[in-house]
Each structure stands twice: as C-alpha cells, then as structure tokens.
Amino acid sequence: MLLMKKHLLFFSFIACIFLYAQESVTKKYLAEDNITSAKNFSKEYIENVLSKKYTLRTIGDPESNNYDIEYTVEDKLGFAIILINYDFRANDFTLKLKSLNYESKINGKVMPVTSNSTDQWISEYYDNTKKLLLTLHSDYIAPDLNE
C-alpha cells in the first residue's frame, strides 16, 4: 500500500511537471489586424526565418486555426525536436511550446530540454529556442508598440 502511494505521488508529480512546464505566449491582435492577417504574419515568419534554421513538419491543417508544427535541427551528436502549437482565435492567438527534446545519435536516448537543467548550456539552449520560436515570433505577429 505504501509503495502504491509513493508511485501515485511520483506520477502525480510528473503529470504536474508536464502540464505546468509548458510555456506559451498569448497576445491580442493590433487594432488593424485580424485572424487572417495574424496567420499571414505567422506564415511569413516561419518561411523567412524559421525554415532557414529548422526542418519543419506541420501536424494538422495549417489552414485551420489550431495546429502544431514540429521543428527539427540536427548537430553531429543528435537532433533537437521542438513541438509548437499555434492557436488563432477571433481577437488573439497563443503560441505554446509543447515539448523540446534532444535525441542522441549515439545511443538513441531522448532527453527533455528544460530551463531547469543543471547544465548551463542546456538551459541556455532552451531559453534561446523559446525566444526564437515564441517571443520573437509573437512579436512579429503582434508587436508591442508601447514598449
């Protein structure tokens, strides 16, 4: 019974990390913009900036208002695989980092990349990736003109 409680507590902890570790940016459209213009700005940023760094795979219909894009970048040791959700609504949009993992070419292990990593380069990679895929992308769609 005690062992079962420990396992239940452990899995609850993991579920909380998964649910709350996701990061996102939600922004309202500029006054003259709407869902169509926001999606066009997003597409421009993906094609002109992100496609130069990442291999892209769309999951879902990009013509819909909610879909995912998987971004992959490779180095000599493995692959970083990033999953971003795009959710466009009538007055605002959300870009959500659903996962960021690194898969080793050497041993095939998949390691989650987080800002909480004890390795400084891993947490810096996470922060830089989040900045490029969430912050700068959302600012391209709807810039903060008052800042």
Side-chain angles (χ1 to χ4, degrees):
M1 182 75 141
L2 183 59
L3 183 59
M4 183 189 293
K5 286 183 181 179
K6 285 183 181 179
H7 285 287
L8 183 59
L9 182 60
F10 174 74
F11 288 121
S12 298
F13 176 74
I14 296 297
C16 286
I17 288 174
F18 178 73
L19 290 173
Y20 296 110
Q22 297 178 352
E23 296 196 43
S24 64
V25 173
T26 299
K27 293 181 98 174
K28 292 185 179 202
Y29 305 133
L30 297 180
E32 65 275 3
D33 290 336
N34 57 34
I35 193 168
T36 303
S37 60
K39 288 173 71 174
N40 287 334
F41 286 131
S42 179
K43 183 178 178 183
E44 283 178 14
Y45 186 82
I46 291 167
E47 290 174 353
N48 296 326
V49 176
L50 300 178
S51 68
K52 293 178 178 14
K53 179 174 176 65
Y54 299 101
T55 301
L56 306 148
R57 182 172 72 95
T58 303
I59 302 167
D61 181 6
E63 298 300 318
S64 73
N65 295 333
N66 191 315
Y67 58 92
D68 295 339
I69 296 181
E70 180 183 81
Y71 295 90
T72 306
V73 64
E74 180 178 357
D75 63 20
K76 63 183 178 182
L77 299 176
F79 302 88
I81 303 166
I82 305 116
L83 189 61
I84 303 290
N85 175 258
Y86 295 83
D87 186 12
F88 295 94
R89 295 173 297 277
N91 298 313
D92 64 3
F93 66 94
T94 299
L95 306 180
K96 182 188 296 185
L97 176 62
K98 292 175 80 174
S99 65
L100 173 49
N101 296 304
Y102 187 81
E103 183 175 337
S104 171
K105 290 181 185 177
I106 298 167
N107 59 20
K109 288 187 179 179
V110 176
M111 174 183 75
V113 177
T114 68
S115 61
N116 301 359
S117 176
T118 56
D119 291 325
Q120 182 178 354
W121 71 270
I122 293 174
S123 61
E124 285 176 2
Y125 182 80
Y126 179 87
D127 291 339
N128 289 334
T129 300
K130 188 177 91 170
K131 181 177 182 180
L132 179 63
L133 294 175
L134 297 183
T135 307
L136 295 176
H137 193 159
S138 66
D139 285 346
Y140 187 85
I141 297 168
D144 292 323
L145 300 176
N146 295 329
E147 291 182 4

